[in-house]
Amino acid sequence: MTADTLLTRRAAGKLMGGILIAFSMADRFALAQIATALPGSLKANPRLESWIRIQPDGTVAVFSGKAELGQGIFTALSQIVAEELDVAVSRIRISGASTLTGPDERYTYGSQSVELSGDALRRASVQARSLLLGAAAQSLGVQPDLLTVRDGTVEGPAGQRITYWQIAQRGPDALKQTLTGTGKPKDPGAYTVVGKPFARIDLPGKLSGAPAFVQDLRLPGMVFGRVVLPPRSGLTLEAFDEAAVRRLPGVIAVVREGSFLGVVAEREEQAVRASAALHASARWGGQLPALPDPQALPEALRQLRREDSVIANAGQDRPAPEGRRITASYSRPYISHGSVGPSCAVAVLHGDHMQVWSHTQGAYPLRGDLATVLQMPEAKVDVVHMPGAGCYGHNGADDVALDAALLARAVAGRPVKLQWMRDDEFASAPFGPAMAITVSAALGPDNRIADWNYEVWSNSHAMRPGQPGGVNLLSAWHLPKPYAPSEPLRIPQPFGDGDRNALPEYTLPRRKIVNHLLLDAPLRNSSVRTLGAHGNVFAIESFMDELALLAGADPAQFRLDHLADPRARHVVEEVIRRSAWSVAGSRRGDDGKGVLHGRGFAYSRYKNMQTYAAVVADIEVDRASGAVRVPRVVVVIDTGRIVNPDGVANQIEGGILQSISWTVKEQVRFDREHVLTRAWSDYPVMGFSEVPEVELTMVDRPHEPSLGAGEGALGPAAAAVGNAFANATGRRIRDLPMIPERVKVALAA
């Protein structure tokens, strides 16, 4: 990465075609009126040129407010624009979340990028194409409906031609329009780009070792920083040996603000050495509440201060049936992001302007919190997204952005690159919350579910920067004037938080579902892929298996008996066919070598409104070692209109692998005082040799809206593995993960 990356507001203006719009109050009023009628992301960004610009060099500049985190959205979004504009994908130059250039689409989360940004860009492209054809018709002297477009060249009935780029040169204001949100997109039957596999445009640099991540960023005059984080958030820095550290080679600055402590050095290894010296001499004080007993975590969660809400309630006017009833409890532990590279940011203070490069998932929300903590106007702070090495939600990316800015303030004019150490990332980045779940149900005489009661206890999975009432940046809590974290958001269904996917898709005539939002967080929590859906789908789909066993029914057929949605039934029936599922043939037992084999089934629809996914998993359980291996997964998904089949496959397959790793291996370890997970040896993840064969079938529905795909298969994959374990062993593990010591206890029971 070079100095070209140092993007100022002025440079950003040039990138955007030299046009930065100044709005009058009248403009703002008019925009506000129009915005109320616009859908999705267009409401906050109703200017066409904030999304699309025709460049004089024969390219199309596309701006999204979403971040490319490795999910491949830049490829899919480019395909959408190319399709509606009738240009080659290779002409698209797309850039993502940035307060300098991008529209404000808040966060990149919830598998909504193609749904929201894709829909906005489709509508913007339709309007842009209409405007360009109008200008072409005027220039060529023909009716617009007689024109055709091929790769940006507009042709009239007599063969007369003009290109988009010529139109833009002749009329640079052609796209300076307010979006209407109207206009008819192409009929999917005419698609030539959308629905076709395209190679990921973000991968060449990442695969070839070219500078691609914020960790690769190099700027002229750059120096390097490290911070010394408290052993546990909330402890107070009492003393450290500043003089000794200042004498170390290369040290430029030692920065202490309250209990925030960092160092800046000329070279990175010098900063690492200096931070180690600071660590060694730092003395921390203060008393913090004991952490929960990790051996009784689900019970501890149920005792925390909480706010209860009933998220679904039906049929309670009738008495509970007398049918066969079972009750079971499930749990999952705290989960780390396990990012391949520790969080990193670069910051520079030029005069009164702070610029930060970050792998945040919310450039604008982060800017707001940075401005608050730095006590600068938002207009004097800019955040530019750059990919980071691994990101599955709210990890340490935003925290380290503030850390870098605090150090940059101490060495004004010089860019500071700051990267957390591995133990910082494991111990101090937010975790995916632990969850406890209890479900009770009764079967009627017809072997259908007659009563369903479900309760989930979880801290908030949504404690990102930019939320009201506080600042969700770690070091902001340790400054001389400390900021408090925000209160947990109350996210309603169907999005949900810890209660995401707590509402089953099944037909349940009598049901009550309660969410216990935990208000006190023993460990720091926030967003990790799927929020509460992973735990809830694991519990619901495990319990559906238990009910099927009680009913003496085939688990897959039992689900079909409770599913009304035709698309849900289709993925279930299709996975039954493709996996050759049958309950009679699924259990294979011991192979004579001490390995138990089994097969499990699960289904869910993510957030009850996105991807449908049905999963069948094969499993092997080694009696001697307790190791669980998943050699094969068959999955069928329906994610509506598929833009890039290759990208959707990447997302589904990656989600399945991560879910299996969570399910059989991953948990944050802690004792009553501290987080003990500090290194990879403390947090095993699935290795390459353990990657299963994944047989994926994608149901394309080009006339339906695209549904978020990234998180759709994680929940059912976890449950299918759990059900396969029960199928193989005759025992059920209800507390994740299925680590060897827990497996051995289950087998011995």
Side-chain angles (χ1 to χ4, degrees), residues 30-370:
L31 288 175
Q33 297 296 309
I34 293 167
T36 56
L38 289 171
S41 298
L42 300 183
K43 284 183 180 177
N45 309 278
R47 284 288 182 182
L48 174 57
E49 71 271 26
S50 69
W51 297 92
I52 292 174
R53 290 171 184 268
I54 304 299
Q55 304 284 82
D57 63 355
T59 63
V60 180
V62 174
F63 303 93
S64 169
K66 301 296 185 182
E68 176 59 82
L69 309 167
Q71 72 276 50
I73 58 167
F74 277 14
T75 309
L77 297 179
S78 296
Q79 288 179 249
I80 290 170
V81 174
E83 184 69 70
E84 296 296 342
L85 281 180
D86 280 317
V87 300
V89 174
S90 60
R91 292 187 184 274
I92 304 296
R93 304 288 183 267
I94 187 168
S95 56
S98 166
T99 60
L100 286 166
T101 61
D104 181 1
E105 293 193 273
R106 301 294 288 170
Y107 307 97
T108 303
Y109 62 7
S111 298
Q112 300 177 104
S113 295
V114 172
E115 274 189 47
L116 298 182
S117 204
D119 181 63
L121 284 168
R122 178 178 289 107
R123 293 171 186 270
S125 301
V126 169
Q127 187 168 340
R129 186 180 190 277
S130 176
L131 290 168
L132 291 165
L133 288 189
Q138 189 172 26
S139 179
L140 300 177
V142 299
Q143 293 297 316
D145 58 359
L146 297 178
L147 299 173
T148 59
V149 186
R150 178 174 297 179
D151 192 18
T153 296
V154 185
E155 185 172 326
Q160 60 273 52
R161 295 180 178 181
I162 188 171
T163 68
Y164 285 170
W165 344 112
Q166 291 169 324
I167 295 170
Q169 286 178 327
R170 295 176 187 178
D173 295 340
L175 299 189
K176 287 184 180 179
Q177 302 287 331
T178 300
L179 281 157
T180 63
T182 58
K184 187 177 179 182
K186 275 186 183 177
D187 184 279
Y191 282 168
T192 59
V193 177
V194 167
K196 305 293 189 298
F198 268 76
R200 292 257 301 272
I201 62 177
D202 62 306
L203 286 185
K206 296 174 180 175
L207 296 177
S208 66
F213 303 102
V214 67
Q215 286 89 347
D216 302 323
L217 183 61
R218 293 292 183 273
L219 299 174
M222 177 178 280
V223 292
F224 298 85
R226 284 293 188 276
V227 289
V228 179
L229 300 176
R232 189 172 154 195
S233 183
L235 295 178
T236 303
L237 178 61
E238 294 183 337
F240 68 102
D241 190 347
E242 180 175 353
V245 174
R246 285 192 178 277
R247 289 194 295 271
L248 292 174
V251 171
I252 300 171
V254 176
V255 181
R256 177 186 182 177
E257 295 190 39
S259 292
F260 171 80
L261 182 60
V263 61
V264 183
E266 291 286 353
R267 299 205 307 262
E268 189 154 24
E269 79 277 11
Q270 294 169 334
V272 172
R273 192 176 303 123
S275 68
L278 285 175
H279 266 292
S281 68
R283 191 170 72 243
W284 302 90
Q287 293 290 325
L288 296 173
L291 296 177
D293 178 358
Q295 303 305 317
L297 181 58
E299 293 75 16
L301 294 177
R302 290 184 172 89
Q303 301 307 312
L304 292 175
R305 194 168 59 96
R306 71 197 195 206
E307 179 180 287
D308 299 341
S309 58
V310 178
I311 61 171
N313 199 3
Q316 301 299 316
D317 55 336
R318 302 188 296 271
E322 296 292 333
R324 291 159 290 170
R325 177 175 294 276
I326 57 173
T327 300
S329 293
Y330 304 83
S331 73
R332 76 161 205 171
Y334 293 100
I335 293 176
S336 171
H337 292 263
S339 302
V340 173
S343 293
C344 179
V346 176
V348 61
L349 180 65
H350 279 302
D352 62 351
H353 190 110
M354 180 73 74
Q355 184 162 333
V356 178
W357 292 261
S358 165
H359 52 110
T360 176
Q361 292 187 212
Y364 282 90
L366 174 59
R367 175 172 78 167
D369 272 9
L370 289 177

Side-chain angles (χ1 to χ4, degrees), residues 434-650:
M435 300 170 65
I437 296 154
T438 296
V439 55
S440 173
L443 292 178
D446 57 354
N447 275 337
R448 297 172 71 94
I449 300 171
D451 187 33
W452 178 277
N453 289 278
Y454 187 93
E455 296 179 83
V456 53
W457 290 258
S458 174
N459 284 108
S460 173
H461 297 240
M463 298 296 293
R464 293 176 181 268
Q467 295 175 193
V471 173
N472 293 329
L473 297 172
L474 181 64
S475 292
W477 310 337
H478 303 138
L479 295 174
K481 176 196 168 186
Y483 293 85
S486 304
E487 287 290 316
L489 288 180
R490 276 65 174 175
I491 306 175
Q493 292 286 330
F495 297 95
D497 187 348
D499 57 333
R500 180 171 290 181
N501 272 105
L503 182 61
E505 284 276 281
Y506 301 111
T507 301
L508 303 170
R510 192 179 194 279
R511 65 185 181 183
K512 184 175 183 180
I513 299 164
V514 180
N515 178 36
H516 303 289
L517 173 63
L518 304 181
L519 303 176
D520 297 324
L523 297 176
R524 188 184 180 202
N525 303 288
S526 193
S527 305
V528 178
R529 204 172 185 182
T530 78
L531 303 193
H534 172 252
N536 287 317
V537 175
F538 169 74
I540 291 170
E541 288 298 296
S542 296
F543 197 68
M544 287 295 286
D545 249 41
E546 300 201 49
L547 286 170
L549 183 65
L550 181 67
D554 179 292
Q557 184 59 49
F558 186 72
R559 285 159 172 93
L560 285 172
D561 291 343
H562 291 83
L563 278 174
D565 185 335
R567 292 173 69 172
R569 294 182 62 86
H570 179 76
V571 297
V572 170
E573 290 165 346
E574 192 65 11
V575 85
I576 288 172
R577 186 176 72 82
R578 291 184 176 273
S579 67
W581 168 270
S582 76
V583 69
S586 64
R587 186 168 182 176
R588 287 166 284 171
D590 196 322
D591 64 358
K593 299 177 182 178
V595 177
L596 300 168
H597 298 257
R599 174 173 281 194
F601 180 95
Y603 159 80
S604 79
R605 185 182 186 191
Y606 186 52
K607 285 192 270 189
N608 303 96
M609 63 177 184
Q610 289 188 324
T611 293
Y612 300 82
V615 178
V616 170
D618 287 334
I619 194 173
E620 297 173 355
V621 183
D622 189 308
R623 282 184 180 276
S625 68
V628 173
R629 180 172 174 269
V630 182
R632 178 174 177 254
V633 176
V634 180
V635 55
V636 177
I637 61 111
D638 173 352
T639 187
R641 179 191 303 121
I642 295 174
V643 177
N644 182 6
D646 186 56
V648 172
N650 293 166

Side-chain angles (χ1 to χ4, degrees), residues 615-742:
V615 178
V616 170
D618 287 334
I619 194 173
E620 297 173 355
V621 183
D622 189 308
R623 282 184 180 276
S625 68
V628 173
R629 180 172 174 269
V630 182
R632 178 174 177 254
V633 176
V634 180
V635 55
V636 177
I637 61 111
D638 173 352
T639 187
R641 179 191 303 121
I642 295 174
V643 177
N644 182 6
D646 186 56
V648 172
N650 293 166
Q651 286 290 285
I652 296 296
E653 291 169 357
I656 287 172
L657 302 191
Q658 186 169 41
S659 178
I660 293 172
S661 184
W662 286 355
T663 303
V664 304
K665 289 180 178 289
E666 297 187 35
Q667 63 175 334
V668 174
R669 298 181 185 276
F670 57 93
D671 61 15
R672 303 305 298 270
E673 293 187 353
H674 300 298
V675 172
L676 302 178
T677 293
R678 296 275 178 169
W680 286 114
S681 56
D682 308 321
Y683 194 82
V685 299
M686 186 167 69
F688 286 110
S689 64
E690 301 168 288
V691 170
E693 176 186 0
V694 179
E695 300 175 22
L696 170 62
T697 299
M698 297 180 285
V699 179
D700 188 15
R701 297 187 185 274
H703 291 275
E704 297 287 345
S706 297
L707 305 174
E711 298 166 302
L714 276 85
V721 171
N723 292 334
F725 182 90
N727 177 253
T729 67
R731 307 284 189 272
R732 187 170 291 275
I733 292 181
R734 300 187 178 91
D735 300 302
L736 297 178
M738 299 177 186
I739 51 178
E741 49 264 46
R742 192 165 277 157

